[in-house]
Amino acid sequence: MIVSRTEVRVRYAETDMMGIAYHANYLPWFEIGRTVLLREQGLPYAELERIGYRLPVLEIRARYQRPALYDD
């Protein structure tokens, strides 16, 4: 199993009036994680595209354990 970790701080604009991150904002955060993982594995996304590979997202599944809050 390949594991990578990166941090993204929840910005005010990504939250609702209760300071909870809106669920659709997780998708760009997932993309940040995918980009970092590929880079760490020596396969930057830009390089993969340059040589003709595309990595379309076909399905996304998430289980929310607790809400992401403003400035988390």
Side-chain angles (χ1 to χ4, degrees), residues 5-9 32:
R5 181 176 293 258
T6 190
E7 289 190 23
V8 177
R9 188 169 296 276
I32 291 169

Side-chain angles (χ1 to χ4, degrees), residues 24-55:
N25 288 318
Y26 284 79
L27 300 177
W29 299 338
F30 293 162
E31 179 62 24
I32 291 169
R34 178 169 83 154
T35 301
V36 169
L37 173 71
L38 288 169
R39 191 179 304 119
E40 289 174 351
Q41 296 302 309
L43 298 166
Y45 201 91
E47 176 65 17
L48 289 172
E49 285 189 335
R50 189 186 68 72
I51 60 177
Y53 289 99
R54 301 292 186 265
L55 301 174

